[in-house]
Every structure is written in C-alpha cells, then in structure tokens.
Amino acid sequence: GVALDGVDLSQVMLGNATTREDRCIMLYKGSPSQGIPVRPSDPKPGLWAVRCGPYKAHFVTSCAVMGALGDKRCAGSYDVGECQGSECDEKLLAMQDTTAVHHDPPMMFQVEKDPGELYPLDSKSAAYQEALSKILAAKQAHEASLVPVPNQMSQGVSKHHGKCCDPESQKKYPSYQNCTCNPEVWDKAFVCTPVDDSPSNPWIPQAGLV
C-alpha cells in the first residue's frame, strides 16, 4: 500500500470524538532552482521547523525573516520600523533575501501567545528545554521514517506527464494552445457590458467627484 501523510479526522467531524490525536507538524521549506545541479546560492530544501503543541522550533530560517529581527548574519538586516525614500527599496530587497540561516540551539516561539513569532524563548528556560526535548524526539522519529526517492526534478520534462486533458491537442487544433480540449470556448469570450452611464473605470476618481 501507499503511506499518506495525514490524520483521519472523520470521527471528530461526525461527533464521535471530542478531541483529535495530538501530533507534531513538520515544516519543510526551500525550493531548489530548476537547474540541475542546484546552484550553491539557492535556498536549501529540507526540514526547517517543527511544531509540537504551542511550541514551534526553527532549525533553519531565511534572511527574509531574520533581517526583520536585526540578525547581523544577514547582509540586508533591517529594522521593522518605518522607512523613507530609498530606505524602503533597500528594505524590500532585504525582505526577499532567501539566504538560509541555521540556528543552534533552535529558535523557538510559543505560537499561541506569540502568533507573529516576534519573541523567541530563552533557550535556557525550563519551558524551552521541556518543549525542545519533545520536538527533537518527534523530529528524530520522523526523519527515521523517511524513504529516499529519486530526485523528480532531475528526470527531465515530458508533456505527457503534465496535467493536461490531451497532450497532443495541437495536432487536432493547430491554431489553439496545447492541452485544448474544448476549442469552442476560446471563441466565446465573455465581456461585461455597462448597464448605465457610469465611468468606464469606476475605481479611478473622476474630476469633480469626491
């Protein structure tokens, strides 16, 4: 059979149970480039964070996040406060920095009290140590259950494997784009017709109107 990552919530939805199974959530992030092999500058895909109950531990984050917290490891670190002029452009560029930042010990938040994840817990606190113990155990068990598979991105590209009703549609309909199954819909585009004397674009303020 095929193992699917999920939880059966049918008994909760049908009213036969009042609680759901509590489990940790594994958060993967990072998208390698379409080029093979992956460029060294690309974000590294992998397990970046784990949440168990109200606690979420980050093992890896990006400079897009850490820059807002003033992390000096990020060249484009910035403050969350207001900006003016060219400062805003620099801030926007920093917010798009996907450089991976590793955390040892992991950076942890109590997300029920801090949903914005702005106040990391003290790694020496009892709450942190207790939560980390559970999170590391769950992370280890999860990683031990993983089964390696071939890199799908290195398998090449084939139009026959895409989400398409007819990969060879252009042989039948050469004047339409590929994957066309109902060419008649392309010739009957629906365009709204104004029903009154309103301006052509009512969202643009008109002269004399407040």
Side-chain angles (χ1 to χ4, degrees):
V2 178
L4 300 178
D5 182 19
V7 174
D8 183 2
L9 296 177
S10 61
Q11 295 306 308
V12 177
M13 298 174 66
L14 295 173
N16 298 326
T18 57
T19 59
R20 62 172 177 79
E21 178 187 358
D22 187 21
R23 71 164 187 167
C24 298
I25 301 174
M26 309 294 155
L27 302 169
Y28 283 80
K29 191 175 180 181
S31 299
S33 70
Q34 297 297 321
I36 303 295
V38 178
R39 297 191 306 269
S41 60
D42 281 346
K44 304 300 185 291
L47 183 59
W48 281 33
V50 178
R51 175 178 174 177
C52 293
Y55 295 97
K56 181 179 178 182
H58 292 266
F59 299 90
V60 186
T61 56
S62 67
C63 277
V65 173
M66 298 312 298
L69 298 177
D71 194 315
K72 301 306 180 183
R73 292 174 291 180
C74 299
S77 62
Y78 58 92
D79 293 328
V80 185
E82 296 181 356
C83 59
Q84 296 180 352
S86 61
E87 295 177 354
C88 295
D89 296 332
E90 296 176 359
K91 184 174 180 179
L92 288 173
L93 288 174
M95 293 173 66
Q96 299 174 27
D97 188 352
T98 57
T99 302
V101 179
H102 296 264
H103 300 279
D104 185 16
M107 183 173 60
M108 189 182 301
F109 300 92
Q110 211 285 18
V111 293
E112 290 183 352
K113 295 181 179 178
D114 177 24
E117 299 185 21
L118 298 176
Y119 307 99
L121 298 180
D122 182 354
S123 61
K124 298 180 181 179
S125 68
Y128 178 100
Q129 294 296 330
E130 182 179 353
L132 181 62
S133 177
K134 180 178 180 179
I135 287 174
L136 290 179
K139 178 176 181 289
Q140 182 178 9
H142 166 73
E143 292 178 327
S145 70
L146 299 179
V147 178
V149 297
N151 186 338
Q152 299 301 302
M153 297 181 65
S154 66
Q155 303 301 307
V157 178
S158 171
K159 62 182 180 181
H160 294 282
H161 298 155
K163 295 181 179 179
C164 177
C165 62
D166 184 359
E168 305 293 341
S169 68
Q170 284 192 314
K171 292 182 179 179
K172 295 184 290 184
Y173 312 114
S175 61
Y176 296 93
Q177 69 180 38
N178 199 40
C179 292
T180 294
C181 295
N182 302 93
E184 63 274 10
V185 302
W186 291 100
D187 301 324
K188 298 180 180 180
F190 174 77
V191 179
C192 294
T193 301
V195 294
D196 54 26
D197 296 329
S198 300
S200 58
N201 189 343
W203 302 110
I204 299 179
Q206 304 296 310
L209 298 178
V210 178

